[in-house]
Amino acid sequence: MTERYLAHHVTGLKPSGIRKFFDIVATMKDVISLGIGEPDFVTPAPIIQAGIRSMQDGETHYTSNAGLLELRQAIAEHIQKRYGVVYDPKGEVIVTVGVSEALYLVMTALLNQGEEVIIPTPCFVSYQAEVILAGGVAVEVPTYVEDEFQVRPEKLEAAITPRTKAILLGYPNNPTGAVYTRQVLQEIARIAEKHDLVVISDELYDQLVYGVEHVCFASLPGMRERTVLLGGFSKNYAMTGWRAGYALGPEGIIKGLVRIHQYTLMCAPTMSQKAALEALRSGDKYVEEMRQEYDRRRQLIVSGLNRLGLPTFAPGGAFYAFPNITATGMDDETFAQKLLEEERVAVVPGSAFGAGGEGYVRCSYATSYEKLEEALRRIENFMRRHG
Ligand SMILES: Cc1ncc(COP(=O)(O)O)c(C=O)c1O
């Protein structure tokens, strides 16, 4: 009843397809979950220690709104070292409460009522919601396995209207695992320039790639000035619970993000910023260990699913496999529900990730090798009955 007090833009939001499903999973026993989009690893010890030390040292206060200058410097150095793009830590970097907050900030800062953001889908479930919450319109452009789940530049361009403000890209992609090639990114860059659009590039999984290069969108010629680069610590460093991320971009845009951030979040948690700083200083070797383990699991699950008659695109990054399940004759919601009920394996229906996800399910391989082997055995039983 009291729901009538809520604003229309909130009641109009669909509940996340992932949450709905996992509320059911939480009530069941002996489920192997391939549904969770976060590392199964605990944050590497030196990073945890840095967080503890910060608290023990009495660093229990706010930091500056944009984040500790030391951390902003380290983020700028990290990006320069990896991608050769130079940002000024004093005006072009903001530390956020994860990429989640950065998405909220960038949409709120950029969008006037009714302005459109083009989003290649399937994509991370928050993208459309963040656009809608900021008063904008999310325009989905589906991607296809034939194109390795990269948006077709001509389709992207065809979606542009006089109200289009930005393109929101996410790669390595959640849920497909797609990594954009330099060539496709260059074509997107050309379109952004031609139509004077901002590109918001969510590169949260940038260090989790397998035998392919991650090309930072801001590193493409001319793109630094129209790109807001989003990244963070959650996935690369197994730090989801710390809630630390960042946005980098031209000063004029970042200034807008800082203004909203200072009135809403104030700053990211101080101890998490200290932990993030340690991640940038000493975390690389742990990232590499985790990446190698994800790669081993990736090979197991992709070849396993293909063998069982569920055609699966070879993901170049992140930690998701995205098999096509249409051979079973079921839609993705029914497949996920039956697989859970009959074999106690949880996967996420592809349609939860927007247009183009229908007929697929997302299987996260951020779970142990042994559990993945058992999940494949259970899926094999399932496919014997339904394949
Ligand atoms: C592509 C993508 N972007 C952003 C996020 C949010 O991450 P954070 O923990 O940094 O808020 C996620 C989390 O699953 C994601 O997959």
Side-chain angles (χ1 to χ4, degrees):
M1 276 299 279
T2 44
E3 213 178 299
R4 68 194 156 88
Y5 292 119
L6 291 175
H8 299 311
H9 64 274
V10 176
T11 45
L13 275 186
K14 277 194 303 199
S16 158
I18 297 189
R19 279 286 140 239
K20 199 173 62 185
F21 198 66
F22 282 93
D23 289 346
I24 307 173
V25 175
T27 64
M28 296 175 70
K29 283 210 174 73
D30 185 34
V31 174
I32 297 190
S33 180
L34 309 183
I36 307 294
E38 65 173 331
D40 55 319
F41 299 106
V42 172
T43 305
I47 302 175
I48 294 181
Q49 286 307 325
I52 293 172
R53 216 167 33 244
S54 162
M55 287 187 273
Q56 285 173 335
D57 289 348
E59 293 176 342
T60 54
H61 307 276
Y62 299 127
T63 67
S64 75
N65 292 134
L68 289 167
L69 181 58
E70 219 182 347
L71 176 57
R72 282 180 277 148
Q73 276 161 344
I75 292 167
E77 273 166 31
H78 175 76
I79 295 296
Q80 183 175 3
K81 197 168 92 194
R82 290 187 71 83
Y83 305 116
V85 194
V86 179
Y87 288 98
D88 177 0
K90 293 228 169 83
E92 297 183 318
V93 180
I94 173 174
V95 179
T96 58
V97 179
V99 167
S100 302
E101 191 218 347
L103 282 164
Y104 167 79
L105 293 178
V106 73
M107 295 310 166
T108 310
L110 290 183
L111 299 180
N112 293 302
Q113 197 70 27
E115 285 182 334
E116 296 170 0
V117 178
I118 299 177
I119 309 175
T121 54
C123 68
F124 175 48
V125 291
S126 297
Y127 289 174
Q128 293 91 332
E130 291 294 1
V131 172
I132 294 165
L133 281 173
V137 178
V139 179
E140 298 187 10
V141 179
T143 62
Y144 305 98
V145 70
E146 297 78 40
D147 306 312
E148 303 191 324
F149 290 112
Q150 298 174 81
V151 71
R152 278 185 210 160
E154 65 275 15
K155 291 228 169 204
L156 183 76
E157 190 159 23
I160 294 172
T161 75
R163 293 176 301 281
T164 308
K165 189 70 164 278
I167 301 167
L168 170 54
L169 292 178
Y171 66 97
N173 183 271
N174 172 7
T176 65
V179 178
Y180 274 74
T181 61
R182 184 178 292 276
Q183 192 198 339
V184 174
L185 291 174
Q186 277 166 343
E187 290 188 54
I188 297 172
R190 186 190 56 75
I191 294 167
E193 193 144 53
K194 180 172 156 199
H195 298 274
D196 191 20
L197 303 177
V198 176
V199 176
I200 303 151
S201 193
D202 175 357
E203 302 179 23
L204 182 59
Y205 298 82
D206 66 337
Q207 289 173 254
L208 302 179
V209 287
Y210 314 104
V212 291
E213 183 196 13
H214 175 83
V215 179
C216 173
F217 196 83
S219 73
L220 298 172
M223 286 303 107
R224 186 194 173 286
E225 291 315 307
R226 60 175 69 252
T227 301
V228 182
L229 170 61
L230 310 183
F233 302 89
S234 289
K235 313 290 170 155
N236 293 339
Y237 298 93
M239 290 179 67
T240 44
W242 295 84
R243 314 307 303 126
Y246 49 78
L248 286 75
E251 189 167 2
I253 294 180
I254 296 300
K255 195 162 49 178
L257 273 66
V258 174
R259 203 168 298 163
I260 302 162
H261 176 79
Q262 76 187 10
Y263 289 127
T264 48
L265 275 297
M266 187 89 91
C267 68
T270 306
M271 48 298 280
S272 300
Q273 293 192 50
K274 276 299 178 76
L277 185 60
E278 183 60 32
L280 293 175
R281 284 186 178 151
S282 70
D284 280 0
K285 76 168 190 283
Y286 303 102
V287 176
E288 180 52 20
E289 280 168 22
M290 291 188 275
R291 192 195 67 80
Q292 284 181 18
E293 177 56 21
Y294 290 135
D295 193 15
R296 203 167 76 92
R297 300 169 181 183
R298 178 182 76 108
Q299 293 171 33
L300 171 75
I301 192 163
V302 171
S303 63
L305 291 168
N306 276 312
R307 182 171 44 79
L308 298 179
L310 296 171
T312 305
F313 161 75
F319 38 60
Y320 308 106
F322 203 56
N324 185 309
I325 53 83
T326 48
T328 60
M330 295 176 214
D331 64 33
D332 50 287
E333 293 232 5
T334 312
F335 179 95
Q337 204 162 335
K338 278 191 185 299
L339 183 64
L340 181 62
E341 284 164 7
E342 295 179 18
E343 294 294 337
R344 308 208 159 228
V345 175
V347 297
V348 184
S351 48
F353 305 97
E358 312 84 5
Y360 292 85
V361 295
R362 188 189 75 175
C363 306
S364 164
Y365 51 88
T367 192
S368 74
Y369 199 86
E370 294 67 33
K371 280 197 183 155
L372 288 175
E373 285 178 319
E374 173 59 19
L376 284 169
R377 275 192 288 274
R378 294 185 187 188
I379 296 172
E380 186 166 11
N381 290 338
F382 185 79
M383 290 303 288
R384 253 192 230 118
R385 292 193 300 278
H386 300 289

